[in-house]
């Protein structure tokens, strides 16, 4: 592109900038929005079954471009297993919304409490939905809002992260094979300026990312009076009661904290353990953490991959240094390593921590597990709730009932009971983000589609309408 501004893209396994994207400017974003908006009425007028059929054809087309898509995701993120899972999840996502959509989009006639009047709620799709997605799950989080919006009858414009943009090219190639979908679904590449332009040209915006950027997105959307659906950061706590199986609790805390290198919103980032089992738990956790292998040099071996975003390494280093300076003890891991040019960190267990440390207050987004003891359930709940975040949490106990009693007191939108990070495994349960962790309706469950539908009440009078005489003052009180 002549005159375009270009961005280099880093390969997280080699540390090299080996890809470039042209940044879409305001005019390009506006042109894409205009094209999509023009096609949206015809898309919305199709029966939902037809829209679903078109999306299924696109899933088939993506399959034909599967090798290129997989290679792009693997290069973007430095991981193989999760990339394959992201691709497999596309078909599952389309099928899930295909099952739910007919009931969600139904418009039954309803009786009112006023004699002679009934009504129907017409569901009118938002014309153009914009999505700004993050780098940690490039494919999944670019489509998690787009698919239900498209099934609902909206057009969708996505701005993926400039950190992991390679996957867009094979998706666009597949879109080119399905013209009906290509007319209402598009991507624009770029950085924050492109995202800001997108907000100026859409009718609703979905954003997944940090609280700081989320505040800017919310303010820009509010200035235009358009809905903003924000899923932001988390500092997810896990509470482990004295009745929990210690070995199992350690394994669960480890997996829920360090899977995908801790680069997930639902990763456990604070662990509170009953004093009665604290020492035993820490010993089990450290032993389990030390068995975890980096998937270097073989991407098909080991447990955790590189840090995708190089700047995250600086955040992790800073938090660990602050914690140690304030008296924390690193029990294993704790060093950002360089292998083949990429940045890696092994599972890091930290003890002697408190809430005066950045490690216990700020999002880490890495495989770091700070562990703190508590003496009573009330203290554990208070510690778990002592945060500006409220995305998700976990409670481990001897029984599900005991875990649920504590889970009901934690200020978070989803609480995994006798497990951790369950929100990554299924999507049926509607949940809201508490505190600074988000804004807007749930992206899970039926609400994930309903938020893209405006409601028009069609109120039907079956009797003769009232005349002006009905409000004549001489009639007195009714």
């Amino acid at each position: 592109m002549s005159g375009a501004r270009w961005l280099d893209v880093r390969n997280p396994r080699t540390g090299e900038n080996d890809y470039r994207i042209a940044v879409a400017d305001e005019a390009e974003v506006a042109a894409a929005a205009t094209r999509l908006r023009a096609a949206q009425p015809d898309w919305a007028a199709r029966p939902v079954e037809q829209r679903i059929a078109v999306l299924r054809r696109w899933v088939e087309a993506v399959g034909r471009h599967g090798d290129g898509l997989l290679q792009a995701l693997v290069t973007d993120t430095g991981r193989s297993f999760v990339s394959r899972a992201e691709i497999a999840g596309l078909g599952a996502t389309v099928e899930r919304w295909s099952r739910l959509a007919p009931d969600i989009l139904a418009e039954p006639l309803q009786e009112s409490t006023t004699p002679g009047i009934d009504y129907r709620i017409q569901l009118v799709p938002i014309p153009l939905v914009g999505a700004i997605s993050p780098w940690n799950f490039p494919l999944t989080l670019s489509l998690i809002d787009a698919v239900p919006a498209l099934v609902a009858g909206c057009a969708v414009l996505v701005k993926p992260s400039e950190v992991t943009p390679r996957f867009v090219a094979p998706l666009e190639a597949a879109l080119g094979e399905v013209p009906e979908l290509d007319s209402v679904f598009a991507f624009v590449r770029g950085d924050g300026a492109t995202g800001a332009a997108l907000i100026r040209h859409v009718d609703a915006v979905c954003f997944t990312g940090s609280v700081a950027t989320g505040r800017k997105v919310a303010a820009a959307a509010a200035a235009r009076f358009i809905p903003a659906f924000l899923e932001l950061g988390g500092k997810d706590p896990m509470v482990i009661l004295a009745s929990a199986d210690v070995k199992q609790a350690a394994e669960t805390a480890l997996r829920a904290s360090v899977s995908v290198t801790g680069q997930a919103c639902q990763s456990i980032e604070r662990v509170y353990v009953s004093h009665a089992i604290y020492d035993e738990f820490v010993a089990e956790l450290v032993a389990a953490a030390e068995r975890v292998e980096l998937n270097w040099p073989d991407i098909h071996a080991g447990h955790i991959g590189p840090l995708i975003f190089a700047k995250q390494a600086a955040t992790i280093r800073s938090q660990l240094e602050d914690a140690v300076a304030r008296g924390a003890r690193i029990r294993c891991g704790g060093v950002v390593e360089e292998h083949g040019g990429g940045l890696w960190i092994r599972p890091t267990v930290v003890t002697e921590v408190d809430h005066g440390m950045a490690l216990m207050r700020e999002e880490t987004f890495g495989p770091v597990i700070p562990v703190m003891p508590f003496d009573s359930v009330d203290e554990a709940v208070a510690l778990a709730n002592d945060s500006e975040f409220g995305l998700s949490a976990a409670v481990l106990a001897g029984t599900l009932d005991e875990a649920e009693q504590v889970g009901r007191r934690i200020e978070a939108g989803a609480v995994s009971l006798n497990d951790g990070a369950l929100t990554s495994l299924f999507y049926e349960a509607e949940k809201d983000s508490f505190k600074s962790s988000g804004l807007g309706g749930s992206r899970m469950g039926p609400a994930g589609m309903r938020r893209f539908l405006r409601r028009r009440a069609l109120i039907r009078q079956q009797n003769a309408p009232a005349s002006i005489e009905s409000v004549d003052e001489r009639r007195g009180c009714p």
Side-chain angles (χ1 to χ4, degrees), residues 48 51-52 55 93-94 96-106 123-126 129 144-154 229 430 441-455:
V48 64
R51 297 197 294 268
I52 289 169
L55 280 162
T93 297
V94 169
R96 181 176 70 254
W97 288 115
S98 298
R99 291 193 303 271
L100 294 173
D103 287 338
I104 294 172
L105 299 176
L123 300 174
V124 184
I126 291 172
V129 173
I144 193 169
D145 301 307
V147 170
L150 288 163
V151 175
C154 311
F229 306 109
E430 294 185 2
S442 172
R443 65 168 27 152
M444 304 300 184
M449 181 178 290
R450 291 194 180 108
R451 62 200 169 128
F452 301 124
L453 298 161
R454 296 168 296 178
R455 291 151 186 80

Short mmCIF file of all heavy atoms in Angstrom, two decimals, residues 48 51-52 55 93-94 96-106 123-126 129 144-154 229 430 441-455:
data_model
loop_
_atom_site.label_atom_id
_atom_site.label_comp_id
_atom_site.label_asym_id
_atom_site.label_seq_id
_atom_site.Cartn_x
_atom_site.Cartn_y
_atom_site.Cartn_z
N VAL A 48 -33.33 -16.84 9.87
CA VAL A 48 -32.15 -17.22 10.64
C VAL A 48 -31.55 -18.52 10.13
O VAL A 48 -30.33 -18.70 10.15
CB VAL A 48 -32.48 -17.31 12.14
CG1 VAL A 48 -33.49 -18.41 12.44
CG2 VAL A 48 -31.21 -17.52 12.96
N ARG A 51 -29.11 -17.67 7.45
CA ARG A 51 -27.86 -17.10 7.99
C ARG A 51 -26.98 -18.20 8.57
O ARG A 51 -25.76 -18.22 8.38
CB ARG A 51 -28.17 -16.03 9.04
CG ARG A 51 -28.93 -14.83 8.49
CD ARG A 51 -28.85 -13.64 9.42
NE ARG A 51 -29.53 -13.83 10.68
CZ ARG A 51 -30.79 -13.51 10.94
NH1 ARG A 51 -31.56 -12.99 9.97
NH2 ARG A 51 -31.31 -13.70 12.14
N ILE A 52 -27.59 -19.13 9.28
CA ILE A 52 -26.84 -20.24 9.85
C ILE A 52 -26.20 -21.08 8.74
O ILE A 52 -25.02 -21.47 8.84
CB ILE A 52 -27.76 -21.11 10.73
CG1 ILE A 52 -28.12 -20.34 12.02
CG2 ILE A 52 -27.11 -22.44 11.06
CD1 ILE A 52 -29.23 -20.98 12.82
N LEU A 55 -23.11 -19.38 7.49
CA LEU A 55 -21.99 -19.50 8.43
C LEU A 55 -21.40 -20.91 8.40
O LEU A 55 -20.18 -21.09 8.51
CB LEU A 55 -22.45 -19.14 9.84
CG LEU A 55 -22.54 -17.63 10.11
CD1 LEU A 55 -23.40 -17.35 11.32
CD2 LEU A 55 -21.15 -17.05 10.31
N THR A 93 -18.63 -23.25 17.98
CA THR A 93 -19.30 -21.98 18.29
C THR A 93 -20.48 -21.74 17.35
O THR A 93 -21.57 -21.35 17.79
CB THR A 93 -18.29 -20.82 18.16
OG1 THR A 93 -17.26 -20.99 19.14
CG2 THR A 93 -18.96 -19.48 18.37
N VAL A 94 -20.28 -21.97 16.07
CA VAL A 94 -21.38 -21.78 15.11
C VAL A 94 -22.52 -22.74 15.43
O VAL A 94 -23.71 -22.35 15.40
CB VAL A 94 -20.87 -21.98 13.67
CG1 VAL A 94 -22.04 -22.04 12.69
CG2 VAL A 94 -19.92 -20.84 13.28
N ARG A 96 -23.28 -24.10 18.34
CA ARG A 96 -23.95 -23.73 19.59
C ARG A 96 -24.96 -22.62 19.35
O ARG A 96 -26.12 -22.70 19.79
CB ARG A 96 -22.91 -23.29 20.62
CG ARG A 96 -23.53 -22.90 21.96
CD ARG A 96 -22.50 -22.58 23.01
NE ARG A 96 -21.79 -21.34 22.75
CZ ARG A 96 -20.55 -21.26 22.31
NH1 ARG A 96 -19.86 -22.35 22.07
NH2 ARG A 96 -19.97 -20.09 22.12
N TRP A 97 -24.55 -21.57 18.64
CA TRP A 97 -25.47 -20.48 18.39
C TRP A 97 -26.58 -20.89 17.42
O TRP A 97 -27.71 -20.37 17.49
CB TRP A 97 -24.73 -19.25 17.87
CG TRP A 97 -23.93 -18.59 18.95
CD1 TRP A 97 -22.58 -18.46 19.02
CD2 TRP A 97 -24.45 -17.98 20.15
NE1 TRP A 97 -22.22 -17.81 20.19
CE2 TRP A 97 -23.34 -17.51 20.89
CE3 TRP A 97 -25.73 -17.80 20.66
CZ2 TRP A 97 -23.49 -16.86 22.11
CZ3 TRP A 97 -25.87 -17.16 21.88
CH2 TRP A 97 -24.76 -16.69 22.60
N SER A 98 -26.31 -21.85 16.56
CA SER A 98 -27.34 -22.36 15.66
C SER A 98 -28.45 -23.05 16.45
O SER A 98 -29.64 -22.93 16.11
CB SER A 98 -26.74 -23.35 14.65
OG SER A 98 -25.78 -22.70 13.84
N ARG A 99 -28.08 -23.74 17.52
CA ARG A 99 -29.09 -24.40 18.37
C ARG A 99 -29.89 -23.39 19.17
O ARG A 99 -31.11 -23.53 19.35
CB ARG A 99 -28.41 -25.39 19.33
CG ARG A 99 -27.80 -26.61 18.67
CD ARG A 99 -27.43 -27.65 19.71
NE ARG A 99 -26.52 -27.13 20.72
CZ ARG A 99 -25.19 -27.15 20.61
NH1 ARG A 99 -24.63 -27.65 19.51
NH2 ARG A 99 -24.43 -26.69 21.58
N LEU A 100 -29.22 -22.37 19.67
CA LEU A 100 -29.88 -21.41 20.56
C LEU A 100 -30.71 -20.37 19.82
O LEU A 100 -31.71 -19.87 20.34
CB LEU A 100 -28.83 -20.69 21.42
CG LEU A 100 -28.05 -21.53 22.43
CD1 LEU A 100 -26.94 -20.70 23.05
CD2 LEU A 100 -28.99 -22.07 23.50
N ALA A 101 -30.28 -20.02 18.61
CA ALA A 101 -30.85 -18.86 17.91
C ALA A 101 -32.36 -18.91 17.70
O ALA A 101 -33.05 -17.91 17.93
CB ALA A 101 -30.13 -18.64 16.58
N PRO A 102 -32.94 -20.03 17.25
CA PRO A 102 -34.39 -20.01 16.99
C PRO A 102 -35.21 -19.59 18.21
O PRO A 102 -36.18 -18.82 18.08
CB PRO A 102 -34.69 -21.45 16.57
CG PRO A 102 -33.40 -21.92 15.94
CD PRO A 102 -32.33 -21.30 16.79
N ASP A 103 -34.85 -20.07 19.39
CA ASP A 103 -35.59 -19.67 20.59
C ASP A 103 -35.31 -18.22 20.97
O ASP A 103 -36.22 -17.47 21.36
CB ASP A 103 -35.23 -20.58 21.76
CG ASP A 103 -35.83 -21.97 21.63
OD1 ASP A 103 -36.83 -22.13 20.89
OD2 ASP A 103 -35.29 -22.90 22.26
N ILE A 104 -34.05 -17.80 20.85
CA ILE A 104 -33.69 -16.43 21.20
C ILE A 104 -34.40 -15.43 20.30
O ILE A 104 -34.85 -14.37 20.74
CB ILE A 104 -32.17 -16.23 21.12
CG1 ILE A 104 -31.47 -17.08 22.19
CG2 ILE A 104 -31.79 -14.76 21.30
CD1 ILE A 104 -29.96 -17.09 22.07
N LEU A 105 -34.51 -15.76 19.02
CA LEU A 105 -35.05 -14.83 18.03
C LEU A 105 -36.56 -14.94 17.84
O LEU A 105 -37.14 -14.22 17.03
CB LEU A 105 -34.35 -15.05 16.68
CG LEU A 105 -32.83 -14.82 16.69
CD1 LEU A 105 -32.24 -15.16 15.33
CD2 LEU A 105 -32.49 -13.40 17.09
N ALA A 106 -37.21 -15.82 18.60
CA ALA A 106 -38.66 -15.96 18.48
C ALA A 106 -39.36 -14.68 18.96
O ALA A 106 -38.88 -14.00 19.86
CB ALA A 106 -39.12 -17.15 19.30
N LEU A 123 -37.50 -8.07 17.53
CA LEU A 123 -36.05 -8.04 17.81
C LEU A 123 -35.33 -7.49 16.59
O LEU A 123 -35.32 -8.11 15.53
CB LEU A 123 -35.56 -9.44 18.17
CG LEU A 123 -36.25 -10.05 19.40
CD1 LEU A 123 -35.81 -11.49 19.60
CD2 LEU A 123 -35.98 -9.22 20.65
N VAL A 124 -34.76 -6.32 16.74
CA VAL A 124 -34.14 -5.61 15.62
C VAL A 124 -32.62 -5.64 15.80
O VAL A 124 -32.10 -5.06 16.76
CB VAL A 124 -34.63 -4.15 15.56
CG1 VAL A 124 -34.04 -3.45 14.34
CG2 VAL A 124 -36.16 -4.10 15.52
N PRO A 125 -31.88 -6.31 14.92
CA PRO A 125 -30.43 -6.39 15.11
C PRO A 125 -29.76 -5.03 14.99
O PRO A 125 -30.15 -4.18 14.18
CB PRO A 125 -29.97 -7.34 13.99
CG PRO A 125 -31.08 -7.32 12.99
CD PRO A 125 -32.34 -7.06 13.75
N ILE A 126 -28.75 -4.80 15.82
CA ILE A 126 -27.91 -3.62 15.68
C ILE A 126 -27.25 -3.69 14.31
O ILE A 126 -26.67 -4.72 13.94
CB ILE A 126 -26.86 -3.59 16.80
CG1 ILE A 126 -27.55 -3.33 18.16
CG2 ILE A 126 -25.79 -2.53 16.54
CD1 ILE A 126 -26.63 -3.47 19.35
N VAL A 129 -21.88 -4.04 14.28
CA VAL A 129 -21.19 -4.30 15.53
C VAL A 129 -19.69 -4.27 15.27
O VAL A 129 -19.19 -4.90 14.33
CB VAL A 129 -21.59 -5.66 16.13
CG1 VAL A 129 -20.73 -6.00 17.35
CG2 VAL A 129 -23.07 -5.65 16.50
N ILE A 144 -15.70 -14.56 19.21
CA ILE A 144 -16.62 -14.87 20.30
C ILE A 144 -17.83 -13.93 20.31
O ILE A 144 -18.94 -14.33 20.67
CB ILE A 144 -15.88 -14.84 21.66
CG1 ILE A 144 -16.73 -15.46 22.74
CG2 ILE A 144 -15.46 -13.41 22.02
CD1 ILE A 144 -15.98 -15.70 24.04
N ASP A 145 -17.65 -12.69 19.86
CA ASP A 145 -18.76 -11.76 19.74
C ASP A 145 -19.30 -11.72 18.31
O ASP A 145 -20.49 -11.52 18.09
CB ASP A 145 -18.33 -10.35 20.17
CG ASP A 145 -17.83 -10.31 21.60
OD1 ASP A 145 -18.57 -10.76 22.49
OD2 ASP A 145 -16.71 -9.82 21.83
N ALA A 146 -18.41 -11.91 17.35
CA ALA A 146 -18.81 -11.79 15.94
C ALA A 146 -19.84 -12.84 15.54
O ALA A 146 -20.81 -12.53 14.84
CB ALA A 146 -17.57 -11.89 15.04
N VAL A 147 -19.64 -14.09 15.95
CA VAL A 147 -20.54 -15.16 15.50
C VAL A 147 -21.98 -14.94 15.98
O VAL A 147 -22.91 -14.97 15.17
CB VAL A 147 -19.99 -16.53 15.90
CG1 VAL A 147 -21.04 -17.62 15.66
CG2 VAL A 147 -18.73 -16.85 15.10
N PRO A 148 -22.23 -14.72 17.28
CA PRO A 148 -23.62 -14.49 17.68
C PRO A 148 -24.22 -13.24 17.06
O PRO A 148 -25.42 -13.19 16.76
CB PRO A 148 -23.56 -14.38 19.21
CG PRO A 148 -22.14 -14.08 19.53
CD PRO A 148 -21.34 -14.77 18.46
N ALA A 149 -23.41 -12.20 16.85
CA ALA A 149 -23.92 -10.99 16.21
C ALA A 149 -24.34 -11.27 14.77
O ALA A 149 -25.39 -10.82 14.31
CB ALA A 149 -22.88 -9.88 16.26
N LEU A 150 -23.54 -12.04 14.05
CA LEU A 150 -23.89 -12.39 12.66
C LEU A 150 -25.14 -13.25 12.61
O LEU A 150 -26.02 -13.05 11.77
CB LEU A 150 -22.71 -13.12 12.01
CG LEU A 150 -21.50 -12.24 11.67
CD1 LEU A 150 -20.27 -13.10 11.41
CD2 LEU A 150 -21.80 -11.34 10.46
N VAL A 151 -25.24 -14.24 13.50
CA VAL A 151 -26.44 -15.08 13.53
C VAL A 151 -27.67 -14.24 13.83
O VAL A 151 -28.75 -14.45 13.28
CB VAL A 151 -26.29 -16.22 14.55
CG1 VAL A 151 -27.58 -17.01 14.68
CG2 VAL A 151 -25.15 -17.16 14.15
N ALA A 152 -27.50 -13.22 14.68
CA ALA A 152 -28.62 -12.34 15.04
C ALA A 152 -29.06 -11.44 13.90
O ALA A 152 -30.15 -10.87 13.94
CB ALA A 152 -28.25 -11.49 16.25
N GLY A 153 -28.21 -11.28 12.87
CA GLY A 153 -28.56 -10.44 11.74
C GLY A 153 -27.77 -9.15 11.63
O GLY A 153 -28.08 -8.30 10.78
N CYS A 154 -26.75 -8.98 12.46
CA CYS A 154 -25.90 -7.80 12.40
C CYS A 154 -24.80 -7.99 11.36
O CYS A 154 -24.45 -9.11 11.00
CB CYS A 154 -25.23 -7.55 13.76
SG CYS A 154 -26.31 -7.61 15.19
N PHE A 229 -19.69 -3.23 25.17
CA PHE A 229 -19.64 -4.50 25.90
C PHE A 229 -18.17 -4.81 26.15
O PHE A 229 -17.43 -5.13 25.22
CB PHE A 229 -20.32 -5.60 25.09
CG PHE A 229 -21.73 -5.26 24.67
CD1 PHE A 229 -22.01 -4.98 23.34
CD2 PHE A 229 -22.74 -5.20 25.59
CE1 PHE A 229 -23.30 -4.66 22.94
CE2 PHE A 229 -24.04 -4.88 25.21
CZ PHE A 229 -24.32 -4.60 23.88
N GLU A 430 -24.62 -17.67 31.88
CA GLU A 430 -24.52 -16.22 31.79
C GLU A 430 -23.80 -15.67 33.02
O GLU A 430 -23.99 -16.15 34.13
CB GLU A 430 -25.91 -15.60 31.68
CG GLU A 430 -26.63 -15.97 30.39
CD GLU A 430 -27.96 -15.26 30.23
OE1 GLU A 430 -28.31 -14.44 31.11
OE2 GLU A 430 -28.65 -15.53 29.23
N GLY A 441 -23.67 -6.44 28.94
CA GLY A 441 -24.28 -7.74 29.14
C GLY A 441 -23.31 -8.89 28.99
O GLY A 441 -22.22 -8.76 28.44
N SER A 442 -23.73 -10.04 29.49
CA SER A 442 -22.92 -11.25 29.43
C SER A 442 -22.70 -11.70 27.99
O SER A 442 -23.62 -11.67 27.17
CB SER A 442 -23.62 -12.38 30.19
OG SER A 442 -22.95 -13.60 30.01
N ARG A 443 -21.47 -12.12 27.68
CA ARG A 443 -21.21 -12.70 26.36
C ARG A 443 -21.45 -14.21 26.39
O ARG A 443 -21.36 -14.88 25.37
CB ARG A 443 -19.79 -12.40 25.90
CG ARG A 443 -18.72 -13.02 26.72
CD ARG A 443 -17.30 -12.98 26.14
NE ARG A 443 -16.96 -11.94 25.23
CZ ARG A 443 -15.72 -11.46 25.07
NH1 ARG A 443 -14.73 -11.95 25.81
NH2 ARG A 443 -15.46 -10.53 24.18
N MET A 444 -21.73 -14.75 27.57
CA MET A 444 -22.02 -16.18 27.72
C MET A 444 -23.53 -16.40 27.75
O MET A 444 -24.30 -15.52 28.13
CB MET A 444 -21.39 -16.72 28.99
CG MET A 444 -19.90 -16.50 29.09
SD MET A 444 -18.98 -17.28 27.75
CE MET A 444 -17.31 -16.93 28.24
N GLY A 445 -23.95 -17.62 27.41
CA GLY A 445 -25.35 -17.98 27.45
C GLY A 445 -26.17 -17.18 26.44
O GLY A 445 -25.62 -16.43 25.62
N PRO A 446 -27.50 -17.33 26.46
CA PRO A 446 -28.36 -16.63 25.50
C PRO A 446 -28.17 -15.12 25.48
O PRO A 446 -28.35 -14.48 24.44
CB PRO A 446 -29.77 -17.01 25.97
CG PRO A 446 -29.60 -18.33 26.64
CD PRO A 446 -28.26 -18.26 27.32
N ALA A 447 -27.77 -14.52 26.61
CA ALA A 447 -27.53 -13.07 26.65
C ALA A 447 -26.45 -12.66 25.68
O ALA A 447 -26.42 -11.51 25.22
CB ALA A 447 -27.15 -12.64 28.07
N GLY A 448 -25.55 -13.58 25.34
CA GLY A 448 -24.48 -13.26 24.41
C GLY A 448 -24.98 -12.89 23.04
O GLY A 448 -24.28 -12.17 22.29
N MET A 449 -26.18 -13.32 22.66
CA MET A 449 -26.80 -12.90 21.41
C MET A 449 -27.81 -11.78 21.64
O MET A 449 -27.89 -10.84 20.85
CB MET A 449 -27.50 -14.08 20.72
CG MET A 449 -28.16 -13.70 19.38
SD MET A 449 -28.93 -15.09 18.53
CE MET A 449 -27.48 -16.01 18.05
N ARG A 450 -28.55 -11.86 22.73
CA ARG A 450 -29.60 -10.87 22.98
C ARG A 450 -29.05 -9.45 23.06
O ARG A 450 -29.74 -8.48 22.72
CB ARG A 450 -30.35 -11.20 24.27
CG ARG A 450 -31.20 -12.46 24.19
CD ARG A 450 -32.17 -12.57 25.35
NE ARG A 450 -32.97 -13.76 25.25
CZ ARG A 450 -32.83 -14.83 26.04
NH1 ARG A 450 -31.90 -14.83 27.00
NH2 ARG A 450 -33.59 -15.88 25.88
N ARG A 451 -27.82 -9.29 23.49
CA ARG A 451 -27.28 -7.92 23.62
C ARG A 451 -27.12 -7.23 22.28
O ARG A 451 -26.96 -6.01 22.22
CB ARG A 451 -25.94 -7.95 24.37
CG ARG A 451 -24.86 -8.73 23.69
CD ARG A 451 -23.77 -9.14 24.65
NE ARG A 451 -22.90 -10.09 24.00
CZ ARG A 451 -21.59 -9.98 23.92
NH1 ARG A 451 -20.98 -8.94 24.46
NH2 ARG A 451 -20.87 -10.89 23.32
N PHE A 452 -27.16 -7.97 21.17
CA PHE A 452 -27.04 -7.37 19.85
C PHE A 452 -28.40 -7.11 19.20
O PHE A 452 -28.48 -6.75 18.03
CB PHE A 452 -26.22 -8.29 18.93
CG PHE A 452 -24.83 -8.55 19.44
CD1 PHE A 452 -24.37 -9.83 19.64
CD2 PHE A 452 -23.99 -7.49 19.73
CE1 PHE A 452 -23.09 -10.07 20.12
CE2 PHE A 452 -22.71 -7.71 20.23
CZ PHE A 452 -22.26 -9.01 20.41
N LEU A 453 -29.47 -7.26 19.98
CA LEU A 453 -30.83 -7.09 19.47
C LEU A 453 -31.52 -5.96 20.22
O LEU A 453 -31.64 -6.00 21.45
CB LEU A 453 -31.62 -8.39 19.64
CG LEU A 453 -31.07 -9.59 18.87
CD1 LEU A 453 -31.61 -10.89 19.46
CD2 LEU A 453 -31.41 -9.49 17.39
N ARG A 454 -32.01 -4.97 19.48
CA ARG A 454 -32.83 -3.93 20.08
C ARG A 454 -34.28 -4.39 20.09
O ARG A 454 -34.71 -5.14 19.20
CB ARG A 454 -32.68 -2.62 19.31
CG ARG A 454 -31.27 -2.05 19.36
CD ARG A 454 -31.06 -0.93 18.38
NE ARG A 454 -31.21 -1.40 16.99
CZ ARG A 454 -31.12 -0.61 15.93
NH1 ARG A 454 -30.89 0.68 16.08
NH2 ARG A 454 -31.25 -1.11 14.72
N ARG A 455 -35.04 -3.94 21.05
CA ARG A 455 -36.42 -4.40 21.22
C ARG A 455 -37.41 -3.31 20.83
O ARG A 455 -37.36 -2.22 21.37
CB ARG A 455 -36.64 -4.85 22.67
CG ARG A 455 -35.89 -6.12 23.00
CD ARG A 455 -35.50 -6.22 24.45
NE ARG A 455 -34.67 -7.39 24.70
CZ ARG A 455 -33.37 -7.48 24.45
NH1 ARG A 455 -32.73 -6.41 23.97
NH2 ARG A 455 -32.70 -8.58 24.68
#
